[in-house]
Structures are given as structure tokens and as C-alpha cells.
Amino acid sequence: MKIKTLPAEFTPARPILQQIEQAGFEAYFVGGCVRDTILGLPIHDIDIATSAYPAEIKQIFNRTVDTGIEHGTVMILDHGTGYETTTFRTESGYQDFRRPDSVTFVRSLKEDLKRRDFTINALALKEDGEIVDLFDGLGDLKRHLIRAVGEPAERFHEDALRMMRAARFAAKLDFKIDPATLAGISENAPLLKKIAVERIQVEFEKLMLATAASKGLNVMLETDLYRYCPGLDGNWQHLSNLASTNLAMLVNSAQVWGALTYHLGMKYKQLAPFLKKWKLSNDLITVVQHQLPLLNQIMGDQVSTRDLFKAGQEAVTNAAIIAKSCGANLDLVKLERAYQDLPIKTSRELAINGGDLINKLGVKPGPVMGKIINHLVDMVVDGAIANEPDLLMDEAAKFIAQ
Ligand code: ATP
Ligand code: MG
């Protein structure tokens, strides 16, 4: 098969492939960019594979950077935009179910494509648009199938993360998993225990943010993969409920982890230990913690303006989307407007500050001042008084006199 017109994303990379070919080597676009081109999906990153060894690439081009030379990856800067090329390689060993013991550079495209996870990810595209399809990846793209290259069990023993990737691609592309590959996952799911949580987390998040997230989650349930993810074992029913919500609404990580922990019925205190097990960043954990109270209030249909103020813009949007994805009868526009209509969004927007309280009312800095400010914020947010200096000062004086 030959693609007549390559998407524009490939244009700046074509001179690189041409130059490698002119030097007597082979070079192809490989992996996700080829798959997504055929499916007519947007292309994020362009991967180039070549028969030239890293040292040879560095002789062909003037400006290169060794970005991962031990794996055969060199970045080429000669034509403006930097592109990484990786030498064809085979991997062997895999005694720990995750990383090859050794990587060997080879001259054969076939050997390189053989080590790739799924047939739809094992296509190569020449600079002139010709597709090299050695494992019927094109047929599987047509049939909407995720199928392991070669013997599934063997491939999952080499790298158990591939099982999560199968679920992730099923979710991203809304494809089925080929029966033999699916059986291979069910039989080998416990191998996922050997995989670094960070890698599982990346695939899980991508799965949950994909168009057909529910499908991916159901694959995890059906094959028992979920049991080998941190803190998910024993939660089949909760996860199944989650899979039946409108996961396609979720658009960021905080929403993913918020929806998951909400369905697991987690209390505030349980969030950090659970999310730490998944190796999320502290920043993300804080965001998920911060949005939980509002989510509970929305789900309980009890949201006050103070709750919106406390939550802040980001948490309001996240909690609202999660609630909506769970089927809450909620007017997103109305909630968002209620937030926008708050007279102030932070205590810094109060028309008087600590300095004014010191100067005009002789308040000393400390806990009392904090209490006064909080009281004024509550009054303004409630709409009980307007955010005007004189009114606030009177209210502060009254509060102190109490
Ligand atoms: P995405 O659009 O999500 O980036 P992708 O197919 O490009 O999808 P990557 O994780 O970027 O996925 O990997 C690039 C390519 O490298 C894959 O298409 C596949 O050929 C190969 N690959 C990546 N991870 C593995 C793995 N664990 N086992 C085998 N091959 C892999
Ligand atoms: Mg990619």
C-alpha cells in the first residue's frame, strides 16, 4: 500500500529520511505516527527508525545530539526541527519481565518490527509513502483489532506492561483485543506486579482519558489486570460502576483520579496514601484532595457559595465534570456561572487588608486578625455585605466588639 499524500506533520522530517537513504541506509517512520496516519487521527510524535548505527548517523549529519545513544537514539538538528532517529534493534533477555537484558543494533527492519508490541504499532512508512506491513497490521487496523506481534504469552513475559498497553490502545482506538491476545493477558495478568508503578500509571491515565475509556477499563476487569494495580484489588464492583459512567467527559489527570477515588468511596484521609501508591506527584495529590469536598457537596446536592469560594476555579471545574460524568443531575453552566458571580475569588480581593485593620482599628497581627479576615470573606461571599472598604471596616469593628 502506498499513501499518496502524507500528512503535513511529516514534511519537515522527510529530508532526514532522504539523506539517510542517500548515504546508503534505510530509514522509516514507525510506530504510532504510521498507525494514526492510516486511521486519519492527529499525529503527536514522529518516530524514525533506521538501519544506520548511531555513529553512522552522526557522520551523515552535521548537528546531532546523543539523546539516548545506548538505545540507539540520536537527535538530528540539521533540518531545523529536531527529530530523533533510533537504530533498528532487537532486544533479548527480559529476565525480569520488564526490561531487556541487552539491546542489539541490527540492519534488518523486520527484526526491529518484530520486537514491537502490537501489529498496528509494527507498521513502517517510507519517505515516499510506501507502507511496509510484515504482520498484517493493516488488516488489523481494518478489523479494529489489537493483536500481539507473535506469541502473546511470550511477548507479555518479555514486558508485562504490554498488557496494560493493550487495554490502553483498545480505549484509545475503540478497538477489540484479538481473542488469543486477550487470553494471553488473562493468563499472565499477575506479571504486572513486576512492572514499575510509574509505567502502569502512565498507561492507566492514558486509558482513562481515551475516547473509549470504559472499554479499556472493562478489559482490565475482564482480564484481572486491575487486581495487580495499586489498591484496586477487591474493587471489581466499584470499578465496574466507574466503567458504566460517562468517562469520555474526563479531560485531565485530576479528574481521572478524582473519579476513580470517588467511586472507590474514599474519604479525604485515604486519598494521599492511595495516590502515593500510584506514585502521583505531590502537586497532583493536593489538587485531587482539594476537589473532593466540593465533589461530595455537589453529589449531595448541597453546594453553597462558600463551598465554591473555598474550592476555587480549578476544583469547581474538575468536581463539576466528575459529578456530571457520574450522572449527577447538574447544570454545569449554572454552577460555573455561580462561581464566576462570586463577589470575590480570593481573600486578597477583599477591599481592605491586614494593614488597614492595624492602622484603623489597632488590630495586632496574629490569629485574631485571621479570624476577622475570614469573617469578612464569609460575609462578602454570602452576599451579606458588599465588598466596600467602609462597610467592611464597620463589620470588622462590630466583630471585634462581640
Ligand atoms: P501514542 O500515540 O500514545 O504515542 P505510540 O504507538 O506512539 O502511541 P509509544 O508508547 O509512543 O506509543 O511507543 C512508540 C512505539 O514503540 C509503539 O508504536 C511500538 O511500536 C513501540 N513500543 C512502545 N512501547 C513498547 C513496548 N512496551 N513493547 C513493545 N513495543 C513498544
Ligand atoms: Mg508515541
Side-chain angles (χ1 to χ4, degrees), residues 250-270:
L250 308 180
V251 295
N252 65 37
S253 309
Q255 293 172 11
V256 165
W257 298 99
L260 174 67
T261 50
Y262 180 79
H263 273 86
L264 294 175
M266 287 199 172
K267 301 259 171 357
Y268 189 90
K269 266 195 181 155
Q270 298 171 291

Side-chain angles (χ1 to χ4, degrees), residues 368-386:
V368 174
M369 169 155 334
K371 275 191 189 149
I372 302 171
I373 302 266
N374 285 344
H375 171 71
L376 296 177
V377 165
D378 284 348
M379 296 296 279
V380 171
V381 168
D382 289 351
I385 55 170

Side-chain angles (χ1 to χ4, degrees), residues 30-181:
V30 286
C33 65
V34 185
R35 176 197 69 220
D36 292 341
T37 296
I38 297 163
L39 291 172
L41 295 175
I43 296 159
H44 343 272
D45 38 61
I46 291 200
D47 293 319
I48 299 169
T50 177
S51 63
Y53 290 174
E56 291 163 338
I57 287 288
K58 290 166 74 166
Q59 276 187 344
I60 300 171
F61 295 94
N62 293 319
R63 292 174 60 219
T64 61
V65 184
D66 294 356
T67 44
I69 196 123
E70 65 285 8
H71 310 112
T73 305
V74 175
M75 175 170 282
I76 298 167
L77 298 166
D78 284 32
H79 297 276
T81 321
Y83 284 100
E84 284 191 325
T85 57
T86 302
T87 301
F88 296 157
R89 60 183 206 216
T90 58
E91 296 169 348
S92 54
Y94 300 105
Q95 292 186 23
D96 58 0
F97 305 102
R98 51 194 164 151
R99 293 267 185 235
D101 299 341
S102 69
V103 165
T104 313
F105 300 140
V106 291
R107 298 289 189 189
S108 142
L109 172 68
K110 182 170 185 185
E111 287 302 309
D112 185 84
L113 295 180
K114 244 168 75 179
R115 72 166 171 94
R116 294 178 183 268
D117 47 9
F118 306 110
T119 61
I120 59 167
N121 289 345
L123 293 161
L125 171 63
K126 279 179 78 156
E127 174 275 324
D128 64 2
E130 188 67 37
I131 299 248
V132 182
D133 176 18
L134 305 176
F135 304 100
D136 198 21
L138 288 175
D140 287 335
L141 279 178
K142 267 205 202 107
R143 291 184 286 268
H144 288 194
L145 274 185
I146 311 291
R147 186 162 59 90
V149 173
E151 174 57 42
E154 209 175 284
R155 305 311 310 284
F156 298 144
H157 272 83
E158 289 171 359
D159 180 358
L161 185 75
R162 290 172 185 155
M163 299 185 286
M164 278 300 291
R165 286 174 59 86
R168 190 258 279 196
F169 285 113
K172 173 183 158 121
L173 303 171
D174 199 1
F175 278 20
K176 280 210 165 119
I177 299 180
D178 172 74
T181 300

